[in-house]
Amino acid sequence: MHPCSRGCALASAPGCLPRALPTSWHFSAREPAVRAEHPDPPAPADSASYSPRLRIVERGKVTSVGDGVVWIEGLPSARMDGIVRISDGSEALVFHLAPDRIGAILLTTTPALMPGCEARQSGDILTMPTGDGLLGRVIDPLGMPLDGGTAPDCSGRRAIEGDSPPIIARDFVDHPLYTGSKIVDTLIPIGRGQRQLLIGDNGTGKSALALDAVISQRDQNVRCLYVMIGQKRSSVVQTIDTLRTHGALAYTTLVVAEATASTGIRYLAPFAGCAIAEEWMNAGHDALIVYDDLTTHARAYRELSLLLRRPPGREAYPADIFYLHARLLERSTRLSAANGGGSMTALPIAETEQGEIAAYIPTNLISITDGQIHFDSKQFARGVLPAIDITRSVSRIGGKAQHEAIKREAGRMKLDYLQFLELEVFTRFGAKLEASMEARIRRGRLLRDILAQDRLDPHSALDQLAWLIACNEKLLDGLDDGELDTALHRLRTGAAGTGLTLDSPRTEWLTAVRGWLSTTAEQA
């Protein structure tokens, strides 16, 4: 009697199926999920070493295709995030497990894909090419080039999904990351390894500040990665041209999922970018990653979840939308010296509608990140640029990373500016104010004029310290708009050509600042 007690139909074969099969495997009289396949007949040269054996392979069948999602029956041992290869040449990523079938995101597709195609597990997971070979390149979330060049020359690959570093592997955020924005670098500082949210209505300058931050990393030994999710091709081209014009493309990688890309590709974009930046961090480098934007990403995930018939929750988002962004942003941190000392700073962007920051996705991201920079559409309409609402902006850990010289000069500046904004309300009603209040209002208006900044015009840290000292010493008081612009330009030019550093004594800085401003007065 054949040793198999299950009455195996292959009892006449030289081998037999294992005694204990996984309980999740199902058999069907019409389409068995597991088939035993004999290998091809051996070549004559190999006949002597050939021995009959069985090869067990799961075969599934595509039951439906549409909207970037494919449903497959007959792969009971499929796992989440595994890659499935279909007989027409398409590939899909397992994204949903049901008792009788799986739902998968189409990664690549051909016109021949249709119900009835055969599907098999590949045993692989989705990975991204990593390394410095990606610098200066524009790729899609699958690692394919979009800039017309050849495939990136990368020796390593990394899974797009991964665990965040454990607490014991992390270190304090104690090194500044300069964005080039006067308001941010002095009043809302950011440190390397921080997660700082840029939030505001559409068209208020969030992406412009992110680009300023990328441009400011020139000669700072920071590798940058810009993830564009669901944006128009014209916006993508404009961003690439801007980075190239300012010489920032050489140290930047762009991961682009255009608005015309499938829902699944748009969903994968931030995770693909995170994997690339995470590899740099683990190699001991400092990395900056911009997610532009996670509101669009949340909408893509909602669409994908509804297509896969997951139960909707608040605002029709699935219940795990918070976990989705938490596990993404939690991978940004600063590693300890024992783990390489690298860092990954994240600047996620979130869009609001009519300034409503209490919406579902904005509140989620605010609670996940280490602070937020809020852009106000009313300030933008009044021409106050950058339109950053300091009253709603905060950096919870960036102050620890701010350089001592800038921290000393900034001091109470944010508090004084907030008090000025409250006092300025009284001037709208024509109320008569005391002399001390009028002086504080004049001082606040001067500070607002100093903080004004054009788009894509980042300022260096030395320039920040120069105008801070001039402002605190009241060297800029009493200047009209034209004189103030001239004075600030002289300070910027002088700081760029000086041999002073942020660690130089304040007395030397004050002497230099007075000299630059006296030159301005003589020319006037």
Side-chain angles (χ1 to χ4, degrees):
M1 181 177 179
H2 194 276
C4 179
S5 61
R6 296 178 181 267
C8 180
L10 300 174
S12 60
C16 183
L17 293 173
R19 291 188 177 183
L21 291 173
T23 56
S24 61
W25 287 5
H26 303 281
F27 294 85
S28 170
R30 295 181 299 172
E31 186 68 26
V34 179
R35 294 182 179 180
E37 295 187 353
H38 294 281
D40 296 334
D46 299 331
S47 298
S49 61
Y50 173 73
S51 60
R53 63 183 178 86
L54 293 178
R55 182 176 60 188
I56 300 176
V57 178
E58 284 188 4
R59 287 184 176 176
K61 182 176 65 175
V62 175
T63 58
S64 65
V65 181
D67 297 318
V69 171
V70 58
W71 290 96
I72 302 173
E73 291 181 350
L75 295 177
S77 63
R79 62 171 181 170
M80 287 291 290
D81 298 327
I83 294 180
V84 174
R85 293 193 173 97
I86 306 174
S87 58
D88 71 307
S90 302
E91 290 187 344
L93 182 73
V94 178
F95 195 70
H96 180 75
L97 300 177
D100 56 342
R101 59 180 179 172
I102 63 172
I105 302 171
L106 281 172
L107 303 178
T108 60
T109 183
T110 69
L113 179 61
M114 63 182 63
C117 289
E118 182 181 285
R120 296 188 184 188
Q121 296 188 68
S122 67
D124 300 328
I125 59 175
L126 187 60
T127 60
M128 282 291 292
T130 57
D132 289 347
L134 292 172
L135 294 175
R137 301 301 303 273
V138 182
I139 60 175
D140 68 6
L142 302 181
M144 302 304 294
L146 297 177
D147 51 10
T150 59
D153 183 15
C154 300
S155 57
R157 299 189 70 89
R158 188 179 186 88
I160 65 169
E161 288 277 8
D163 296 333
S164 60
I167 296 297
I168 196 172
R170 304 186 181 213
D171 202 352
F172 295 104
V173 175
D174 55 5
H175 287 73
L177 184 134
Y178 296 108
T179 64
S181 170
K182 296 179 183 179
I183 295 178
V184 175
D185 292 341
T186 57
L187 306 183
I188 321 167
I190 299 175
R192 297 188 182 186
Q194 186 173 341
R195 301 158 299 175
Q196 188 75 3
L197 178 66
L198 309 182
I199 184 172
D201 288 359
N202 185 33
T204 52
K206 304 182 297 297
S207 298
L209 177 61
L211 288 173
D212 275 347
V214 172
I215 295 171
S216 296
Q217 305 316 309
R218 186 174 183 178
D219 300 327
Q220 298 298 317
N221 197 25
V222 177
R223 292 160 171 80
C224 301
L225 202 142
Y226 202 104
V227 182
M228 306 188 73
I229 310 167
Q231 298 198 23
K232 298 180 295 183
R233 179 165 298 184
S234 59
S235 300
V236 175
V237 172
Q238 184 179 10
T239 300
I240 296 173
D241 290 341
T242 299
L243 294 175
R244 182 181 289 112
T245 301
H246 290 83
L249 192 59
Y251 55 84
T252 304
T253 301
L254 283 93
V255 177
V256 177
E258 296 182 88
T260 56
S262 66
T263 307
I265 296 298
R266 282 181 276 134
Y267 160 76
L268 293 172
F271 294 99
C274 183
I276 298 172
E278 197 171 40
E279 183 69 19
W280 285 330
M281 176 182 68
N282 290 336
H285 303 297
D286 292 316
L288 169 65
I289 183 168
V290 178
Y291 301 107
D292 192 1
D293 65 283
L294 290 188
T295 305
T296 304
H297 178 249
R299 292 168 184 161
Y301 184 62
R302 175 174 62 184
E303 181 181 347
L304 198 60
S305 299
L306 293 176
L307 288 171
L308 293 170
R309 302 178 185 178
R310 293 182 177 179
R314 177 180 170 184
E315 297 182 18
Y317 288 104
D320 62 343
I321 185 67
F322 181 91
Y323 170 68
L324 172 76
H325 287 151
R327 76 172 189 261
L328 171 68
L329 295 173
E330 194 63 27
R331 294 161 71 177
S332 298
T333 185
R334 178 173 180 81
L335 298 179
S336 62
N339 290 273
S343 70
M344 177 165 59
T345 308
L347 295 180
I349 296 176
E351 181 181 327
T352 58
E353 296 181 1
Q354 297 182 349
E356 183 55 59
I357 62 174
Y360 189 28
I361 300 303
T363 52
N364 281 354
L365 294 172
I366 288 174
S367 61
I368 294 170
T369 51
D370 303 314
Q372 70 274 354
I373 299 175
H374 184 266
F375 291 78
D376 185 18
S377 58
K378 295 181 180 178
Q379 287 188 210
F380 186 86
R382 292 199 302 266
V384 180
L385 301 177
I388 297 176
D389 186 356
I390 300 179
T391 62
R392 293 187 176 186
S393 301
V394 64
S395 178
R396 299 184 181 93
I397 62 177
K400 297 293 184 181
Q402 195 172 28
H403 194 279
E404 288 299 327
I406 296 180
K407 183 189 297 185
R408 179 185 62 247
E409 297 299 331
R412 288 176 47 88
M413 190 169 290
K414 182 176 182 180
L415 179 60
D416 292 342
Y417 189 73
L418 294 177
Q419 292 176 348
F420 151 70
L421 294 177
E422 294 181 356
L423 290 174
E424 191 182 31
V425 175
F426 293 99
T427 64
R428 300 176 184 175
F429 304 102
K432 187 176 181 179
L433 303 177
E434 297 180 357
S436 60
M437 287 190 176
E438 290 182 352
R440 294 174 65 180
I441 289 176
R442 285 195 302 269
R443 184 78 174 166
R445 288 173 176 169
L446 172 64
L447 182 57
R448 181 165 59 191
D449 292 339
I450 294 175
L451 294 175
Q453 187 172 344
D454 293 333
R455 181 178 180 270
L456 301 177
D457 184 28
H459 291 246
S460 67
L462 297 178
D463 178 29
Q464 311 272 18
L465 183 58
W467 73 257
L468 281 170
I469 293 176
C471 183
N472 288 334
E473 293 294 327
K474 299 183 179 181
L475 301 177
L476 302 177
D477 290 5
L479 300 180
D480 57 28
D481 293 343
E483 294 172 343
L484 180 61
D485 291 341
T486 302
L488 292 176
H489 177 72
R490 291 294 302 175
L491 289 174
R492 187 175 187 180
T493 304
T498 184
L500 298 175
T501 66
L502 294 179
D503 296 321
S504 299
R506 189 179 189 276
T507 54
E508 295 183 11
W509 268 101
L510 181 57
T511 302
V513 168
R514 291 183 185 276
W516 299 329
L517 293 179
S518 63
T519 303
T520 303
E522 292 174 1
Q523 291 179 350

